[in-house]
Amino acid sequence: MRRSFSHGGHRGVARHRLCALILLCALLAPLAPAHAADPQPYNLVLQPTGSDQIDTAIKTSSLLATLRDSSPVPPFGLVQRARQDIPRITTAAESFGYYLAKTTVMIAGRELDDPELPMVLDRTPQGRAVDANVRVELGPLYHFREVIIAGAVPTEVMSALKLARGDPAIASNVPAAQARLLTALQEAGYPLAQVQEPIARADDAAHVLDVTFPTTAGPRADIGAITFQGLKTVNEDFARRVLTVKSGDPFRPSRLEASRQALLNTGVFGGISVRPADRLSPDGSIAIEFDVQERPLHAVKLEGA
């Protein structure tokens, strides 16, 4: 089954849009805490998975853990909080490549769907803590099988992905590889290069992922006209002399950044941004604009002895 790397929360890889680490960041956004006059205290037990990294991610993503002391909840709120934890904790495990992970939360020794649970909580004396037990069955670790760049790209950028067959299918490595590929293309002189959202094909029986990076290199281009925006008191000729790039140089973001730093190092600018054009000029070059913010001028009083 073909899936794109975007936000999603479905169970299992075949139904899961793989960029789980980005999704995890979204899930970590705090939810509005519940409040009640008679809170239900609880003792939280997070069963270890065997991986300190995964255990830490689970604890960080768990509302039961992060809100236990700061946001007390009544019995009903405790059950709701536990329900919300299941997809959050599962996503944390999936982000490490365990895409068949299963999360179970038990309150007072009972499953969340146990019809007796509300009555058990109601009968718990006020102020007495109940146990909240979280268990994660990781299941098999997925690995990358095929890693494909779909599109014509120069040979020298092929290794930029740094993903190989057999590597653990850690979710955060996929968008990182996408960013590396785009950077490599731009550094090779392709200013309009695009690397679209990666697409995963999961084989749940073999516990592997095939990942495709749809890529368009676009035309290669040199730097064209260089212009400045925001110059007021600073002479433009001075600014141009400071630049470490000139029209006709190969386009490379690292060289543009070096020029930006050189301008900042003069001390006369408080901020500088560099903006390549979004299309090529008629001569096939790419225009560059330096948007500068000058520092305020300071008057200096000189007095003789």
Side-chain angles (χ1 to χ4, degrees):
M1 181 178 294
R2 175 172 169 162
R3 289 289 178 182
S4 63
F5 284 73
S6 61
H7 297 307
H10 297 294
R11 173 68 170 77
V13 173
R15 295 171 296 153
H16 178 72
R17 299 192 178 212
L18 184 67
C19 194
L21 189 61
I22 299 175
L23 174 62
L24 175 61
C25 294
L27 287 174
L28 290 180
L31 301 180
H35 298 279
D38 299 320
Q40 174 60 66
Y42 57 93
N43 300 315
L44 178 62
V45 179
L46 298 173
Q47 299 290 344
T49 63
S51 165
D52 291 342
Q53 272 191 307
I54 297 176
D55 291 347
T56 299
I58 287 173
K59 185 175 182 179
T60 302
S61 66
S62 168
L63 296 177
L64 288 169
T66 58
L67 299 181
R68 182 178 59 170
D69 297 328
S70 62
S71 300
V73 287
F76 175 78
L78 175 58
V79 176
Q80 291 300 104
R81 181 176 291 179
R83 292 187 190 281
Q84 292 170 343
D85 254 6
I86 291 177
R88 296 168 70 92
I89 291 173
T90 300
T91 297
E94 289 175 343
S95 70
F96 287 88
Y98 294 92
Y99 297 103
L100 292 180
K102 179 181 179 182
T103 302
T104 302
V105 182
M106 299 184 71
I107 303 293
R110 295 178 180 270
E111 300 279 354
L112 301 183
D113 292 332
D114 188 331
E116 300 293 324
L117 178 57
M119 183 169 55
V120 170
L121 294 177
D122 286 341
R123 291 177 177 174
T124 300
Q126 185 176 347
R128 178 181 294 179
V130 297
D131 290 335
N133 192 296
V134 178
R135 178 181 178 83
V136 180
E137 298 176 31
L138 293 177
L141 174 63
Y142 279 61
H143 293 80
F144 292 117
R145 182 171 59 188
E146 299 292 339
V147 180
I148 301 168
I149 297 176
V153 299
T155 305
E156 62 265 27
V157 307
M158 297 291 288
S159 61
L161 287 177
K162 296 183 181 179
L163 292 182
R165 182 185 182 95
D167 287 348
I170 297 173
S172 61
N173 290 348
V174 177
Q178 178 188 7
R180 285 194 296 268
L181 179 57
L182 178 59
T183 297
L185 283 167
Q186 291 174 338
E187 282 294 310
Y190 296 85
L192 304 182
Q194 294 183 353
V195 182
Q196 303 297 331
E197 183 179 295
I199 300 170
R201 294 179 177 86
D203 185 339
D204 287 337
H207 307 137
V208 294
L209 292 174
D210 298 328
V211 185
T212 300
F213 294 84
T215 304
T216 303
R220 200 164 191 166
D222 293 334
I223 293 175
I226 298 175
T227 58
F228 289 88
Q229 178 71 27
L231 289 178
K232 297 176 181 178
T233 61
V234 177
N235 185 277
E236 183 174 325
D237 289 339
F238 165 78
R240 288 188 180 278
R241 288 196 299 270
V242 173
L243 294 179
T244 59
V245 293
K246 62 182 184 301
S247 297
D249 287 347
F251 175 86
R252 288 185 183 174
S254 60
R255 291 185 176 181
L256 294 176
E257 174 59 19
S259 281
R260 192 184 76 86
Q261 289 294 332
L263 287 169
L264 283 173
N265 290 341
T266 63
V268 298
F269 300 111
I272 302 171
S273 60
V274 185
R275 289 197 293 262
D278 57 6
R279 59 177 59 87
L280 298 185
S281 301
D283 63 358
S285 65
I286 185 81
I288 306 295
E289 180 181 86
F290 286 84
D291 190 350
V292 303
Q293 296 84 48
E294 296 181 0
R295 291 184 182 276
L297 295 177
H298 297 282
V300 178
K301 183 176 181 181
L302 300 178
E303 296 181 351

